[in-house]
């Protein structure tokens, strides 16, 4: 006998034809994952049979099918008119008596005493929804904070009608689904009080690169609709799965969102949007423990379903518990071709007009079309750059026309981001003021190929795209590693064939993620009010200035190490010059003015000086945390600019005092061979270090007596000069004689493949290249055509 309603605990994934993907997944988790700590709010669902029975009344199904068969694909105005008419028909059709009675009885069982103030959510679940190759995210409606049986019955009909929103009709057409084959189930579920807590989205893999060893979590205050609809820029977290499994600290990265508004309960309109207090904006909306608990849930769910998952969660502000509201297959990265990657490169730069979060790692060019509201969608033409405050599912019929999408609001899990990924369209979200800064009719280039930050440039800029096949790379007699400074790009770069990271620069993390002189943080109370204010703006979400510095450093290092694990990642200690440190917040107070900072107060001399030693100890603390606490022992240390053997001894002793000793937990301490004295006294330096990483830039400069920043003599700068090669030969042969590591991380091999070949013939252990030159150089050295 066919049922009109079923309880969540009685259904599973085999019931998708009966209750749709969303409700089937909720039942699957309640039945199979409750014992594993996955909490899903209780509820029941109307069945697909009940929905079809409902449509049989007065021939409603026949009228709907006829209206849709007459609809022309791409006619936005006709779509809006037809969709509105069908929804009106459904809303004016009463629920048949048996269905209404079944809903009333089930609601009374779910909420025995409505006067307790417990509300429900009424959510849609289509029978073609949440399938492995089509997400259907946001296609139908959800009703929140529904109170009393009359509101529930009304909400069920609204959910039924939402199967025929403009976006749902368009999406089914685009995905090739027959409208008549899709039915709808309404899920009635106890509400989680996230209106006074927080909520968000989890992906069990990285949404931009498909990196499968990290869980990506977004979080904001209040009900989840604001985040999903792109109305807020949320907090973001990456969590490392292997560290979770080892019960170690596992958070790789934290990013504090603005979280300007939140959605809460309202007595008049069910829900409303209110501003978030500034003090709350400056805090993370989850604790570290909660972030890691959510990540564990995501891993549990992923393992149960056997595939990457897209999950919605909520934290109840009353009981403090974390609940799972939805779990569906991730449909973009998990479906991407694994043996081919496409590299988009911007070959020139232009005037920067706007920037936000990059979605899609592509580049798009087109004419700006600023769209203020849904009524203007028909103005969007094929190839336009769609610019708006934010999108919602009503915009999807035209989003696939765009060459790129730019929004004022939203994060990496907002509607615009999800659909852009699915369509393969680059998007820059959360720009803040794109609709004001971008003018209708102007041609722009939208670049999402420069890391986490997406940028909109004026004009049509030259760019290129390469297809790289990864099926097999020829064998070489040494290792090719990469120079990687930006942790934001390492999940992408790790897909390129490589043997690890030969140079990870701490300076990039300090300048981009911190931007404050470490002395200004150590001596926070001594700063003037203006500097304190600038520091306060940056350190929001962290316990204090020093906690901010150490954690930001450790986050950058850990992200790099996790991306390439178990391969070695060689982290170079900070090598800022005095003029570069002076340009940071608070830096002018602590840095000398030098005529030639390139050969001044830098590297080992800085670390061992009394004036900088406490700053250096912060770097040591970050590396120690990543290696010892997070378990990422694939991190090696590189010491730059060691002028003398005496400096070498002092640095080694200082590292040991800070818990970093060669050989301890497989730690290796490498010296950067970049001063002629390093090569000339190679045998002596190698008694103190575990090997050399040759810095060909400074070695060439100091060998030939050149200022590499001077354009007047730039033509003389060449790492292939015989004098430079003589020093390179000394360094390589000394390392090989002493069975020590020797690599090169300077620019030379990236710019000159013939130099790379010479180094290979000299017997170098590894060559570290810029990511964009790895494939070509590798194939060149193997004698293979690119």
């Amino acid at each position: 006998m066919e049922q009109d309603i079923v309880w969540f605990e009685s259904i599973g994934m085999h019931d998708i034809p009966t209750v749709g993907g969303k409700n089937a997944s909720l039942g699957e988790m309640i039945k199979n994952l409750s014992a594993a700590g996955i909490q899903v709010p209780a509820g029941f669902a109307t069945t697909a049979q009940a929905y079809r029975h409902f449509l049989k009344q007065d021939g409603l199904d026949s009228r709907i099918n006829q209206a849709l068969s007459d609809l022309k694909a791409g006619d936005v105005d006709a779509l809006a008119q037809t969709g509105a008419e069908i929804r009106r028909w459904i809303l004016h059709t009463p629920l048949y008596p048996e269905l209404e009675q079944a809903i009333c009885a089930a609601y009374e069982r779910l909420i025995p005493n409505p006067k307790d103030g417990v509300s429900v959510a009424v959510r849609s679940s289509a029978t073609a929804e949440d399938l492995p190759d089509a997400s259907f995210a946001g296609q139908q409606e959800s009703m929140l904070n529904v109170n009393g049986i009359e509101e529930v019955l009304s909400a069920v009909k609204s959910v039924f009608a939402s199967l025929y929103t403009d976006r749902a009709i368009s999406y089914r057409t685009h995905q090739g689904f027959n409208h008549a084959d899709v039915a709808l189930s309404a899920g009635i579920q106890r509400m989680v009080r996230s209106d006074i807590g927080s909520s968000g989205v989890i992906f069990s893999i990285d949404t931009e690169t498909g990196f499968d060893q990290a869980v990506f979590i977004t979080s904001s205050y209040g009900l989840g609709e604001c985040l999903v609809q792109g109305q807020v820029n949320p907090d973001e977290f990456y969590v490392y799965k292997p560290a979770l499994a080892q019960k170690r600290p596992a958070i790789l990265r934290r990013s504090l969102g603005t979280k300007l508004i939140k959605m809460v309960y309202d007595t008049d309109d069910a829900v409303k949007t209110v501003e978030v207090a500034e003090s709350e904006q400056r805090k993370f909306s989850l604790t570290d423990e909660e972030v890691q608990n959510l990540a564990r849930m995501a891993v549990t769910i992923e393992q149960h379903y056997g595939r990457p998952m897209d999950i919605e969660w909520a934290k109840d502000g009353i009981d403090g518990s974390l609940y799972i509201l939805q779990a569906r297959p991730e449909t973009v990265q998990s479906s991407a071709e694994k043996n081919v990657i496409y590299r988009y490169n911007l070959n020139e730069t232009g005037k920067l007009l706007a920037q936000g979060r990059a979605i899609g790692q592509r580049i798009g060019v087109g004419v700006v079309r600023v769209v203020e509201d849904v009524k203007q969608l028909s103005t969007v033409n094929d190839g336009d750059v769609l610019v708006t405050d934010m999108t919602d599912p009503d915009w999807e019929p035209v989003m696939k026309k765009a060459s790129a999408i730019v929004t004022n609001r939203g994060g990496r899990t907002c509607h615009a981001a999800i659909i852009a990924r699915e369509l393969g369209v680059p998007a820059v979200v959360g720009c803040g003021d794109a609709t004001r800064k971008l003018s209708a009719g102007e041609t722009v280039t939208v670049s999402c190929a420069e890391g986490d930050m997406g940028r909109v440039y004026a004009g049509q800029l030259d760019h290129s795209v390469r297809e790289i096949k990864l099926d097999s790379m020829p064998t070489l007699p040494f290792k090719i590693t990469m120079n990687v400074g930006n942790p934001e790009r390492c999940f992408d770069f790790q897909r390129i064939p490589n043997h690890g990271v030969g140079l990870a620069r701490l300076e990039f993390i300090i300048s981009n993620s911190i931007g404050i002189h470490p002395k200004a943080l150590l001596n926070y109370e001594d700063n003037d009010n203006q500097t304190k204010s600038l520091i306060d703006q940056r350190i929001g979400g962290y316990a204090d200035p020093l906690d901010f510095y150490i954690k930001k450093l450790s986050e950058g290092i850990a992200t790099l190490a996790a991306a390439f694990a178990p391969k070695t990642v060689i982290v170079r200690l900070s090598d800022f010059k005095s003029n570069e440190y002076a340009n940071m917040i608070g830096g002018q107070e602590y840095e000398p003015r030098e005529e030639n900072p390139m050969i001044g107060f830098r590297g080992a001399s800085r670390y061992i000086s009394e004036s900088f030693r406490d700053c250096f100890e912060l770097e040591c603390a970050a590396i120690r945390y990543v290696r010892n606490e997070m378990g990422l022992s694939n991190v090696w240390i590189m010491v730059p600019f060691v002028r003398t053997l005496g400096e070498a001894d002092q640095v080694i002793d200082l590292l040991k005092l800070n818990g970093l000793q060669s050989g301890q937990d497989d730690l290796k301490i490498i010296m950067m061979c970049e001063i002629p004295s390093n090569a000339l006294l190679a045998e002596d330096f190698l008694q103190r270090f575990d090997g050399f990483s040759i810095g060909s830039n400074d070695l060439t400069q100091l060998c030939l007596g050149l200022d590499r920043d001077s354009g007047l003599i730039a033509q003389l700068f060449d790492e292939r000069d015989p004098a430079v090669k003589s020093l390179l030969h000394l360094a390589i042969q000394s390392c090989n004689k002493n069975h020590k590591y020797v690599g090169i991380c300077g620019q030379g091999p990236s710019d000159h493949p013939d130099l790379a070949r010479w180094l290979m013939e000299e017997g170098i252990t590894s060559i570290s290249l810029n990511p964009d030159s790895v494939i070509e150089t590798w194939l060149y050295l193997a004698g293979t055509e690119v």
Side-chain angles (χ1 to χ4, degrees):
M1 179 179 175
E2 293 184 347
Q3 296 176 283
D4 288 327
I5 69 104
V6 290
W7 287 90
F8 286 163
E9 62 263 29
S10 69
I11 57 178
M13 293 307 294
H14 60 281
D15 293 304
I16 288 178
T18 301
V19 294
K22 188 182 301 179
N23 288 336
S25 184
L26 292 172
E28 178 79 12
M29 290 187 289
I30 289 174
K31 280 205 305 185
N32 296 293
L33 298 180
S34 295
I38 305 300
Q39 295 190 82
V40 177
F44 62 93
T46 63
T47 62
Q49 294 88 334
Y51 174 76
R52 291 193 171 99
H53 188 175
F54 169 78
L55 290 189
K56 291 289 183 185
Q57 298 178 102
D58 299 325
L60 183 55
D61 52 353
S62 298
R63 282 185 286 155
I64 291 172
N65 293 336
Q66 183 60 50
L68 292 175
S69 67
D70 294 337
L71 187 62
K72 293 181 180 179
D75 189 335
V76 177
D77 293 332
L79 171 63
Q81 183 177 348
T82 301
E85 185 174 33
I86 293 173
R87 294 193 297 274
R88 186 167 56 252
W89 291 342
I90 292 174
L91 292 173
H92 286 128
T93 300
L95 298 174
Y96 59 90
E98 294 84 357
L99 176 58
E100 182 171 325
Q101 291 167 13
I103 293 172
C104 290
Y107 177 73
E108 185 175 348
R109 174 178 154 187
L110 181 67
I111 311 292
N113 188 0
K115 292 182 180 180
D116 289 344
V118 179
S119 60
V120 298
V122 182
R123 305 181 187 274
S124 62
S125 179
T127 56
E129 188 176 49
D130 297 342
L131 302 179
D133 56 353
S135 72
F136 281 76
Q139 294 309 308
Q140 288 76 232
E141 300 289 351
S142 293
M143 312 296 168
L144 305 179
N145 192 24
V146 179
N147 290 277
I149 188 58
E150 293 303 322
E151 287 189 15
V152 169
L153 294 171
S154 176
V156 167
K157 284 209 299 181
S158 295
V159 165
F160 283 179
S162 72
L163 190 61
Y164 297 98
T165 59
D166 302 353
R167 66 210 182 228
I169 296 170
S170 175
Y171 191 87
R172 288 195 297 273
T173 301
H174 182 65
Q175 292 288 339
F177 286 91
N178 187 322
H179 299 290
D181 291 341
V182 181
L184 198 134
S185 165
I188 294 87
Q189 185 179 35
R190 289 176 68 100
M191 283 285 292
V192 175
R193 289 302 304 271
S194 60
D195 60 305
I196 51 176
S198 54
S199 57
V201 176
I202 312 171
F203 284 89
S204 64
I205 60 174
D206 179 43
T207 56
E208 302 308 308
T209 66
F211 180 64
D212 63 3
Q213 294 302 300
V215 176
F216 176 58
I217 300 172
T218 61
S219 174
S220 192
Y221 298 118
L223 301 170
E225 265 57 26
C226 276
L227 188 153
V228 173
Q229 293 170 11
Q231 296 181 40
V232 294
N233 296 331
D235 299 331
E236 296 180 353
F237 308 89
Y238 281 98
V239 184
Y240 188 43
K241 292 177 183 176
L244 274 182
Q246 297 168 16
K247 297 184 179 179
R248 292 176 176 270
I251 299 176
L252 295 176
R253 278 162 58 189
R254 304 167 182 83
S255 177
L256 188 69
T258 54
K259 308 182 297 294
L260 297 177
I261 59 173
K262 65 179 178 179
M263 184 176 286
V264 299
Y265 285 5
D266 183 50
T267 54
D268 296 325
D269 297 317
V271 294
K272 64 181 179 181
T273 300
V274 298
E275 293 183 355
V276 174
E278 187 174 345
S279 60
E280 293 298 302
Q281 294 174 28
R282 293 181 54 75
K283 298 177 183 177
F284 286 111
S285 49
L286 288 171
T287 66
D288 284 0
E289 182 181 1
E290 289 167 341
V291 169
Q292 295 190 130
N293 285 339
L294 285 171
R296 290 188 188 94
M297 292 181 190
V299 171
T300 298
I301 293 169
E302 179 184 59
Q303 290 174 346
H304 176 76
Y305 284 93
R307 58 172 301 115
M309 298 296 287
D310 170 1
I311 302 161
E312 292 186 22
W313 64 271
K315 175 186 174 182
D316 193 300
I318 295 176
D319 64 21
S321 296
L322 298 168
Y323 293 88
I324 300 300
L325 305 182
Q326 285 188 43
R328 52 180 170 250
E330 192 278 339
T331 60
V332 179
Q333 292 298 336
S334 54
S335 303
E337 193 172 357
K338 302 301 181 187
N339 291 324
V340 176
I341 58 176
Y342 295 91
R343 311 294 306 173
Y344 283 76
N345 292 299
L346 196 61
N347 299 326
E348 59 178 328
T349 58
K351 180 182 178 182
L352 180 64
L353 302 177
Q355 61 183 8
R357 298 307 296 261
I359 306 298
Q361 297 184 318
R362 295 171 180 252
I363 296 173
V365 177
V367 174
V368 169
R369 185 73 59 189
V370 179
V371 179
E372 300 291 347
D373 59 52
V374 71
K375 296 177 183 177
Q376 299 174 338
L377 290 180
S378 60
T379 66
V380 178
N381 299 314
D382 288 340
D384 283 350
V385 173
L386 174 61
V387 180
T388 187
D389 182 51
M390 63 180 218
T391 69
D392 62 36
D394 287 326
W395 295 60
E396 289 172 28
V398 300
M399 290 174 76
K400 56 179 171 283
K401 292 183 176 182
S403 61
I405 298 166
V406 182
T407 69
N408 291 340
R409 295 190 280 169
R412 285 176 53 190
T413 55
C414 73
H415 173 266
I418 291 170
I419 300 304
R421 288 189 200 98
E422 197 164 295
L423 296 174
V425 173
V428 181
V429 302
C431 294
D433 52 4
T435 51
R436 181 176 61 83
K437 288 190 172 181
L438 302 180
S439 302
E442 69 175 324
T443 298
V444 297
T445 299
V446 179
S447 173
C448 294
E450 302 171 79
D452 274 5
M453 191 63 69
R455 297 178 174 90
V456 184
Y457 298 101
Q460 181 171 336
L461 301 183
D462 180 52
H463 65 279
S464 57
V465 59
R466 278 188 307 146
E467 179 185 282
I468 302 173
K469 296 185 182 298
L470 306 177
D471 294 14
S472 63
M473 295 295 288
T475 302
L476 295 174
F478 64 95
K479 296 179 178 180
I480 287 188
T481 58
M482 284 193 278
N483 302 327
V484 182
N486 186 353
E488 295 177 356
R489 301 205 65 186
C490 63
F491 290 167
D492 179 31
F493 289 154
Q494 60 85 26
R495 297 189 296 169
I496 300 172
N498 71 85
H499 294 100
V501 175
L503 172 62
R505 302 178 181 91
L506 275 197
E507 306 93 80
F508 192 98
I509 300 169
I510 295 170
S511 61
N512 286 269
S513 298
I514 297 173
I516 307 167
H517 196 289
K519 276 289 188 184
L521 295 171
L522 283 160
N523 302 322
Y524 174 79
E525 294 299 336
D526 297 336
N527 293 302
D528 58 42
N529 289 335
Q530 182 180 4
T531 302
K532 280 184 178 179
S533 177
L534 291 172
I535 292 173
D536 290 343
Q537 291 172 27
R538 297 222 174 190
I539 68 173
Y542 293 84
D544 54 56
L546 297 188
D547 179 64
F548 167 74
Y549 192 87
I550 293 171
K551 279 187 176 171
K552 278 299 181 187
L553 266 185
S554 62
E555 287 169 19
I557 297 166
T559 301
L560 288 161
F564 290 89
K567 301 170 189 172
T568 299
V569 173
I570 302 177
V571 175
R572 186 177 73 186
L573 299 166
S574 64
D575 193 26
F576 282 123
K577 290 74 176 174
S578 55
N579 59 321
E580 294 167 337
Y581 261 127
N583 289 330
M584 294 182 185
I585 294 172
Q588 295 287 345
E589 295 294 318
Y590 299 102
E591 291 299 321
R593 293 188 178 182
E594 298 184 282
E595 290 298 323
N596 195 341
M598 190 72 76
I599 54 174
F601 190 43
R602 61 179 286 203
S605 299
R606 183 178 279 269
Y607 309 152
I608 62 179
S609 70
E610 288 299 323
S611 64
F612 194 80
R613 181 173 296 192
D614 51 358
C615 301
F616 178 68
E617 289 172 348
L618 300 180
E619 295 182 27
C620 294
I623 293 173
R624 195 170 61 245
Y625 178 81
V626 171
R627 284 183 50 85
N628 298 351
E629 301 303 318
M630 298 186 72
L632 288 161
S633 57
N634 59 320
V635 171
W636 292 4
I637 296 173
M638 184 195 301
V639 182
F641 226 76
V642 185
R643 292 178 169 94
T644 68
L645 297 174
E647 281 191 341
D649 290 332
Q650 290 182 71
V651 167
I652 292 296
D653 289 343
L654 187 56
L655 287 169
K656 185 177 180 180
L657 281 173
N658 283 275
L660 297 169
Q661 183 175 356
S662 175
Q664 187 172 316
D665 296 323
D666 300 320
L667 175 63
K668 290 189 183 298
I669 301 176
I670 306 300
M671 190 189 84
M672 199 158 187
C673 178
E674 55 188 332
I675 302 171
S677 64
N678 301 151
L680 294 170
L681 297 179
E683 296 280 341
D684 298 293
F685 278 108
L686 287 171
Q687 291 178 24
R688 294 155 172 84
F689 293 95
D690 296 308
F692 283 169
S693 181
I694 299 169
S696 59
N697 297 349
D698 275 337
L699 189 64
T700 301
Q701 171 180 244
L702 296 172
C703 175
L704 299 179
L706 297 169
D707 180 353
R708 60 188 168 100
D709 288 339
S710 172
L712 298 174
I713 51 175
Q715 75 278 2
L716 298 176
F717 187 93
D718 192 339
E719 299 93 331
R720 296 167 295 182
D721 185 274
V724 179
K725 279 188 169 183
S726 178
L727 293 175
L728 291 172
H729 173 81
L730 278 175
I732 294 169
Q733 298 312 311
S734 295
C735 285
N736 287 336
K737 175 185 173 183
N738 290 277
H739 306 290
K740 300 256 180 145
Y741 168 88
V742 58
I744 187 168
C745 59
Q747 185 69 25
S750 295
D751 290 345
H752 307 298
D754 58 323
L755 176 62
R757 183 181 293 280
W758 181 84
L759 290 165
M760 178 176 70
E761 293 167 350
E762 281 286 307
I764 201 163
T765 304
S766 74
I767 293 179
S768 194
L769 302 169
N770 295 335
D772 60 359
S773 64
V774 166
I775 299 295
E776 288 86 348
T777 305
W778 191 314
L779 296 178
Y780 170 82
L781 294 174
T784 307
E785 292 291 330
V786 179

